[in-house]
C-alpha cells in the first residue's frame, strides 16, 4: 500500500513537473512570437517614416517656415519681373534703338529668362512643401496607429513575461 501511494505521488509530481515545463515552453514561444511582431511593426514604422520623412510632424514645422520663405521669394521675383518687363516694353515702344539700348534689351531678355526659371523652380518647391504639409494629419494618424499596435503588443509581452516568470518559479518548485 505504501509503494502504491508512493508511486501515485511520484506520478503526480512528474505530471506536475511536465505540466510546468510545458507551460514554461508555451510562454517562451509566446514571448518570441510577440517580440517578433513588435520587431516587424517597428521595421514597418521605420520604413513608413523614411518614405514620409517630409510629412513627419517635426519636419513639417520646418516645411511651413520654408514655405513662407519661398512664397516671399516668389513675390520678390514677380515684382522684379514686372519691373523688367515694363523696362523692356518701354524700350521696344521706342522703335529705332541705339546700340546701348539694344544691348540693354538683350540683357533684359536674358535676365527675364533667369528670373522666370527661378520662379518656376520656386513654384515647384512651393507645391512640394504644400503637398507635404497637407499630408501631415494623415501621417500623424498612421504614426499613432503604429504606436497603438506597438503599445498593445508591449502590454501583451509584459503579461507574458510575468506569466513566464511565474511558470519558471512553479517549474523550479516542482523539481
Amino acid at each position: 500500500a505504501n509503494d502504491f501511494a508512493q508511486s501515485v505521488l511520484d506520478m503526480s509530481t512528474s505530471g506536475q513537473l511536465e505540466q510546468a515545463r510545458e507551460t514554461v515552453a508555451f510562454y517562451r514561444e509566446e514571448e518570441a512570437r510577440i517580440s517578433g511582431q513588435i520587431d516587424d511593426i517597428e521595421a514597418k514604422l521605420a520604413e513608413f517614416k523614411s518614405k514620409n520623412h517630409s510629412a513627419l510632424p517635426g519636419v513639417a514645422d520646418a516645411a511651413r517656415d520654408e514655405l513662407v520663405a519661398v512664397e516671399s521669394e516668389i513675390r520678390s521675383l514677380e515684382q522684379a519681373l514686372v519691373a523688367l518687363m515694363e523696362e523692356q516694353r518701354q524700350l521696344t515702344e521706342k522703335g529705332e534703338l541705339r546700340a546701348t539700348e539694344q544691348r540693354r534689351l538683350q540683357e533684359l531678355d536674358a535676365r527675364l529668362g533667369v528670373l522666370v526659371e527661378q520662379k518656376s523652380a520656386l513654384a515647384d518647391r512651393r507645391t512640394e512643401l504644400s503637398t507635404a504639409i497637407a499630408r501631415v494629419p494623415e501621417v500623424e494618424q498612421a504614426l499613432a496607429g503604429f504606436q497603438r499596435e506597438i503599445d498593445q503588443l508591449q502590454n501583451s509581452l509584459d503579461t507574458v513575461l510575468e506569466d513566464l516568470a511565474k511558470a519558471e518559479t512553479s517549474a523550479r518548485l516542482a523539481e
Side-chain angles (χ1 to χ4, degrees):
N2 285 340
D3 288 341
F4 178 72
Q6 186 61 43
S7 72
V8 168
L9 286 174
D10 289 345
M11 285 187 346
S12 174
T13 301
S14 105
Q16 287 176 349
L17 180 59
E18 184 59 34
Q19 169 113 18
R21 287 181 180 154
E22 287 175 7
T23 301
V24 167
F26 169 78
Y27 284 122
R28 286 192 176 136
E29 288 172 11
E30 280 298 290
E31 175 188 13
R33 182 184 66 79
I34 293 171
S35 292
Q37 287 178 328
I38 289 172
D39 292 343
D40 290 345
I41 292 172
E42 286 176 343
K44 288 177 185 175
L45 175 60
E47 181 181 341
F48 179 81
K49 284 181 175 181
S50 176
K51 286 182 179 177
N52 296 284
H53 177 74
S54 63
L56 293 175
V59 177
D61 292 338
R64 284 184 190 95
D65 293 342
E66 185 180 350
L67 181 60
V68 169
V70 165
E71 288 175 345
S72 176
E73 278 188 65
I74 288 174
R75 281 190 298 278
S76 295
L77 285 174
E78 287 172 345
Q79 290 172 351
L81 283 167
V82 167
L84 291 175
M85 287 189 294
E86 177 58 24
E87 185 179 348
Q88 184 183 45
R89 184 192 61 76
Q90 289 173 2
L91 281 174
T92 54
E93 282 181 354
K94 284 186 172 183
E96 186 87 20
L97 298 177
R98 294 178 300 199
T100 56
E101 291 171 327
Q102 288 176 354
R103 278 195 304 276
R104 179 61 183 154
L105 193 56
Q106 290 172 348
E107 289 171 7
L108 289 173
D109 287 341
R111 183 71 181 134
L112 283 169
V114 169
L115 292 180
V116 166
E117 286 180 27
Q118 288 176 344
K119 182 181 172 193
S120 175
L122 287 171
D124 290 345
R125 183 63 181 151
R126 177 177 55 193
T127 301
E128 290 172 15
L129 292 169
S130 296
T131 301
I133 292 167
R135 292 188 51 241
V136 169
E138 169 191 335
V139 169
E140 284 177 335
Q141 187 176 12
L143 290 173
F146 279 117
Q147 194 56 54
R148 264 191 312 280
E149 265 187 275
I150 290 171
D151 290 347
Q152 288 171 350
L153 287 170
Q154 189 61 52
N155 288 339
S156 296
L157 181 61
D158 291 345
T159 301
V160 165
L161 290 174
E162 287 174 18
D163 292 344
L164 175 60
K166 290 175 188 174
E168 287 173 338
T169 301
S170 295
R172 275 191 233 97
L173 291 175
E175 288 177 354

